[in-house]
Amino acid sequence: MKINFNVPPHTGKELEYIRQCIEAEKICGDGAFTKKCNAWIEERTGTKKALLTTSCTHATEMTALLLGIKEGDEVIMPSYTFVSTADAFVLRGATAVFVDIRPDTLNIDEKLIESAITERTRAIVPVHYAGVACEMDTIMDIAKRHSLYVVEDAAQGVMASYKGKALGAIGDMGCFSFHETKNYSMGEGGALLLNRDGYIDMAEIIREKGTDRSRFFRGQVDKYTWQEAGSSYLPSDMNAAYLYAQLEIADEINDARLKIWNCYYEGLRSLAETGKIELPTVPEGCVHNAHMFYIKTKDQEERAALKAFLGEKGILAVSHYVPLHSAPAGKKYGRFAGEDRYTTKESERILRLPLYYGLTEEQNELIIDLVKEFYAG
Ligand SMILES: *Cc1c(COP(=O)(O)O)cnc(C)c1O
């Protein structure tokens, strides 16, 4: 018996949709399925404009280009995140300024952001860890008072919300990931959400090699030309076709994931009540999307032992981020503002349990039983 940590989602419709692309002889970017995916995101999140991209990393890179991030700028973000959050800005010459996380949600501690602001700060990048929202009201208020941009790293936040607003659609811009490890996937892919006027034309140009090809296809210009420095950030329509098969039944996938998450939560509650482990916190006003189920062990040693115990039984449980400020590139391109009270400590206690669309109830129960067995022994 073997239970993987993740299995990429698929619904059965993917091949049919990819076949439609091939038969339509339209497999490059911005075909029918890309448009359907963009429309789905716009409708479900309320963003002004959604553009499918080749990854969330690339969507974030686009935000750095759109905001004109340059050498000497500073961008505030948590250290407990994926490398792409920092890469996108560091590539443009900015310094990543890391702020500590809250121990309850593992999101950036909104109360520590203001003291990390300098005259060089340009943007705040909240990361909605595990699809649980950061404290966005506070963050948006700080950004407004200091004239800073907010770029949401909502890679894990598709279908999650904060006080009724979709994650990714709250800040100036938001970024989704459709990597195979995310709730909805196209292998490699993502989306840029533009929530304010004024960036849409430029985003279309940057995404299409710096040309106004999008305007040309809409018949707004009679030939397209090189307008700005850009790159190629649009995915093949075949990838979009794969994704659309999931977006179509996103509610069903979301419900199935939440059922698994809730089963873990209820099943492991007794261990939390006796102080053996800690369970995730979902603050009031946050609706999460069951992107991830993690537990917190006592410390790193206990985590390694539990991971090995589950591994022997064929169950793949995994740790998560190595804090960026402790990594070689993090030391070179970033600095930690304030004290690292929780980032390192909490990162060493996290163990993520298998959670994917298609994990069965029996597997779900078995994993719970084994975690309990570990703590009983
Ligand atoms: C997955 C992830 C990314 C990167 O997404 P890609 O689509 O693989 O580029 C960025 N940030 C966070 C928080 C992620 O979880």
Side-chain angles (χ1 to χ4, degrees):
M1 204 255 327
K2 189 163 164 49
I3 305 176
N4 275 326
F5 171 66
N6 179 58
V7 174
H10 52 90
T11 69
K13 287 270 198 76
E14 287 84 357
L15 279 174
E16 166 56 21
Y17 289 171
I18 291 169
R19 198 171 58 82
Q20 286 178 26
C21 280
I22 298 169
E23 283 173 359
E25 300 182 332
K26 178 76 185 165
I27 61 172
C28 69
D30 281 339
F33 284 103
T34 304
K35 292 199 174 86
K36 280 180 204 255
C37 292
N38 290 345
W40 184 93
I41 296 169
E42 284 162 16
E43 195 190 305
R44 296 299 294 248
T45 67
T47 184
K48 283 199 155 66
K49 182 81 182 171
L51 293 168
L52 221 55
T53 58
T54 33
S55 64
C56 177
T57 306
H58 277 168
T60 315
E61 271 181 47
M62 285 182 70
T63 70
L65 287 165
L66 287 167
L67 299 177
I69 299 294
K70 57 180 187 322
E71 185 108 34
D73 289 349
E74 292 181 354
V75 177
I76 292 173
M77 63 187 71
S79 170
Y80 187 67
T81 182
F82 191 56
V83 293
S84 303
T85 318
D87 264 329
F89 301 98
V90 158
L91 262 182
R92 310 250 57 83
T95 299
V97 175
F98 302 118
V99 167
D100 207 12
I101 52 170
R102 294 164 43 147
D104 59 349
T105 56
L106 308 179
N107 282 331
I108 192 166
D109 188 336
E110 68 280 356
K111 293 185 296 302
L112 302 176
I113 291 175
E114 212 149 7
S115 56
I117 295 172
T118 71
E119 71 272 14
R120 290 171 174 265
T121 309
R122 295 286 312 286
I124 305 169
V125 188
V127 179
H128 304 298
Y129 188 70
V132 176
C134 297
E135 194 41 58
M136 290 307 289
D137 278 352
T138 308
I139 293 172
M140 294 308 289
D141 176 63
I142 294 169
K144 198 170 161 200
R145 284 190 284 106
H146 294 268
S147 302
L148 303 175
Y149 296 108
V150 175
V151 175
E152 294 175 75
D153 181 336
Q156 303 175 12
V158 183
M159 294 281 283
S161 64
Y162 171 82
K163 299 187 180 173
K165 285 183 247 168
L167 303 192
I170 303 166
D172 297 284
M173 298 174 191
C175 304
F176 280 173
S177 175
F178 298 118
H179 184 260
E180 78 163 35
T181 52
K182 300 305 199 290
N183 292 23
Y184 310 92
S185 174
M186 54 197 278
E188 300 280 353
L192 171 63
L193 282 67
L194 298 165
N195 306 324
R196 309 277 178 268
D197 291 320
Y199 295 103
I200 296 170
D201 286 350
M202 189 57 139
E204 286 183 340
I205 287 169
I206 287 172
R207 181 167 163 271
E208 265 280 25
K209 297 93 180 167
T211 72
D212 55 351
R213 199 162 165 181
S214 298
R215 283 201 291 245
F216 170 71
F217 282 132
R218 284 195 296 265
Q220 293 163 321
V221 290
D222 54 15
K223 59 178 184 300
Y224 73 86
T225 55
W226 189 27
Q227 301 285 319
E228 289 290 343
S231 189
S232 188
Y233 292 124
L234 72 173
S236 159
D237 212 49
M238 291 193 291
N239 294 52
Y242 186 96
L243 175 65
Y244 191 66
Q246 293 151 55
L247 295 185
E248 249 184 354
I249 59 156
D251 292 298
E252 190 183 316
I253 294 174
N254 196 48
D255 288 350
R257 294 188 71 107
L258 283 166
K259 197 164 161 242
I260 297 166
W261 196 99
N262 290 328
C263 182
Y264 275 135
Y265 194 91
E266 290 309 319
L268 297 172
R269 193 194 274 272
S270 58
L271 287 180
E273 281 163 1
T274 52
K276 295 254 180 7
I277 62 169
E278 280 175 46
L279 293 175
T281 304
V282 180
E284 185 131 353
C286 300
V287 176
H288 76 105
N289 58 1
H291 171 62
M292 177 196 307
F293 192 89
Y294 64 80
I295 61 171
K296 284 195 212 164
T297 59
K298 184 161 57 67
D299 53 28
Q300 211 167 8
E301 288 70 47
E302 188 179 282
R303 177 175 72 176
L306 174 56
K307 191 177 160 177
F309 176 80
L310 294 172
E312 279 163 27
K313 317 273 179 192
I315 291 153
L316 200 66
V318 298
S319 57
H320 213 184
Y321 307 130
V322 173
L324 298 185
H325 74 284
S326 67
K331 288 179 183 152
K332 195 152 55 167
Y333 301 119
R335 70 177 158 81
F336 204 96
E339 190 195 341
D340 170 12
R341 277 184 73 196
Y342 295 111
T343 299
T344 300
K345 182 167 156 240
E346 300 305 301
S347 75
E348 290 174 348
R349 301 172 60 204
I350 294 295
L351 190 69
R352 296 181 294 157
L353 302 177
L355 202 176
Y356 52 84
Y357 181 57
L359 185 88
T360 66
E361 225 175 294
E362 293 70 44
Q363 291 173 320
N364 209 175
E365 296 288 355
L366 174 73
I367 298 163
I368 293 166
D369 289 344
L370 286 171
V371 173
K372 284 180 163 166
E373 192 183 312
F374 174 83
Y375 282 101

